[in-house]
Amino acid sequence: MPSGEGQPLLSQSDLQDVRRVMVTGDRQSLRSMNSETSDVANELRKNLLYIFYHIMANDIIFFTGHPALNNFAIFALTQSIILVQPTSTAAEKQLGATVHGIFNLIAGMAFFGALSIIFINKAAHQGIHFKSVHARLGLVTYILLFANVLLGITQYWTPYVYGSVTRAKSLYKFHRVIGYVSLAFSFLTAALSSTTDYNRSIFGMKFSVLFGLVIVTSIGLAVRIRPQKFQFKFRRS
């Protein structure tokens, strides 16, 4: 058995704290996590409402599911990242990881649905794939997102695939970095959707408005990031 493989992620005292939070609903922990998400969530909702207004103001067709699911997925992904920022105790981390995983699972399914819709729609109309910058960046974003979800699941639930719990934990920082990059790409891809021919002729969303909302949301998220959670160690020469 590789070194550390049989070591538990949490001690018995930590597990007792986790049960206290999960069973009794530690209000202080939940309130702390909720306060961190409220401001960013409000800014993100403004962005989503702007997009959904333009989507729903037109006829609902098969393609409508692509932008609708993508925007719902971005909301879920953002919430999953914000929720784990204020966690510090073992109980909060366990609760945060659980909620983080649920939101990521929801986001992953929504992203997959959006990707499936655009592929089917393009095939039905014999359209050219990855013609626009929006489409190309979207593909890169999907790949990063799905790869990072897989990394997060295996790190947390099956750490032994990396040889030991310790080795799995050492990769957490990369999971976090890829998560932030993926979210940034998601925001930018959503903003670039306004440059597509379909948006110009049907939705009429303006890039300046979308990009402005993305910047405001990004700033709100950036100030809540805990740099110490990255745990990068640099060697001194």
Side-chain angles (χ1 to χ4, degrees):
M1 180 180 294
S3 176
E5 183 176 328
Q7 298 176 0
L9 288 171
L10 297 174
S11 65
Q12 287 298 321
S13 60
D14 290 338
L15 287 173
Q16 291 176 358
D17 290 338
V18 171
R19 294 191 189 99
R20 175 175 54 80
V21 173
M22 299 298 288
V23 176
T24 66
D26 190 322
R27 294 182 179 180
Q28 184 176 359
S29 297
L30 294 173
R31 189 159 47 242
S32 174
M33 294 170 66
N34 183 63
S35 64
E36 291 285 334
T37 66
S38 57
D39 293 340
V40 177
N42 288 334
E43 293 300 331
L44 188 59
R45 274 194 289 269
K46 294 177 183 178
N47 197 344
L48 295 177
L49 286 174
Y50 173 77
I51 296 174
F52 273 117
Y53 168 78
H54 286 272
I55 293 174
M56 298 305 173
N58 295 277
D59 294 336
I60 305 300
I61 59 176
F62 179 72
F63 176 78
T64 304
H66 176 70
L69 285 173
N70 269 327
N71 281 281
F72 175 75
I74 290 174
F75 178 79
L77 180 64
T78 304
Q79 293 302 302
S80 76
I81 291 178
I82 303 172
L83 282 167
V84 294
Q85 296 307 313
T87 57
S88 56
T89 67
E92 289 175 345
K93 289 179 180 180
Q94 182 75 5
L95 176 59
T98 301
V99 179
H100 174 78
I102 292 172
F103 270 106
N104 268 331
L105 179 61
I106 294 172
M109 290 188 296
F111 275 128
F112 183 77
L115 176 62
S116 300
I117 288 173
I118 191 61
F119 263 93
I120 294 172
N121 189 71
K122 286 283 187 180
H125 297 86
Q126 297 182 340
I128 302 174
H129 290 285
F130 316 121
K131 180 181 179 180
S132 65
V133 176
H134 164 73
R136 293 168 184 168
L137 184 59
L139 176 63
V140 173
T141 303
Y142 283 135
I143 293 173
L144 283 175
L145 285 166
F146 295 142
N148 203 38
V149 167
L150 179 62
L151 177 61
I153 290 174
T154 54
Q155 283 177 322
Y156 191 78
W157 296 107
T158 58
Y160 57 84
V161 301
Y162 298 100
S164 68
V165 171
T166 302
R167 290 177 184 174
K169 285 184 176 181
S170 70
L171 297 175
Y172 282 177
K173 52 182 173 289
F174 300 107
H175 175 65
R176 294 187 182 100
V177 170
I178 297 173
Y180 291 127
V181 172
S182 300
L183 183 61
F185 278 16
S186 298
F187 285 164
L188 184 56
T189 302
L192 287 172
S193 66
S194 61
T195 65
T196 61
D197 293 336
Y198 190 89
N199 174 73
R200 293 192 186 101
S201 60
I202 305 297
F203 292 152
M205 294 183 291
K206 296 181 179 180
F207 176 78
S208 57
V209 176
L210 276 178
F211 191 70
L213 290 170
V214 164
I215 292 298
V216 172
T217 304
S218 299
I219 293 174
L221 178 61
V223 298
R224 286 163 175 77
I225 292 176
R226 303 293 189 268
Q228 64 271 20
K229 286 180 174 285
F230 289 105
Q231 298 179 347
F232 280 106
K233 296 180 180 179
F234 299 96
R235 294 181 179 179
R236 295 182 178 179
S237 57

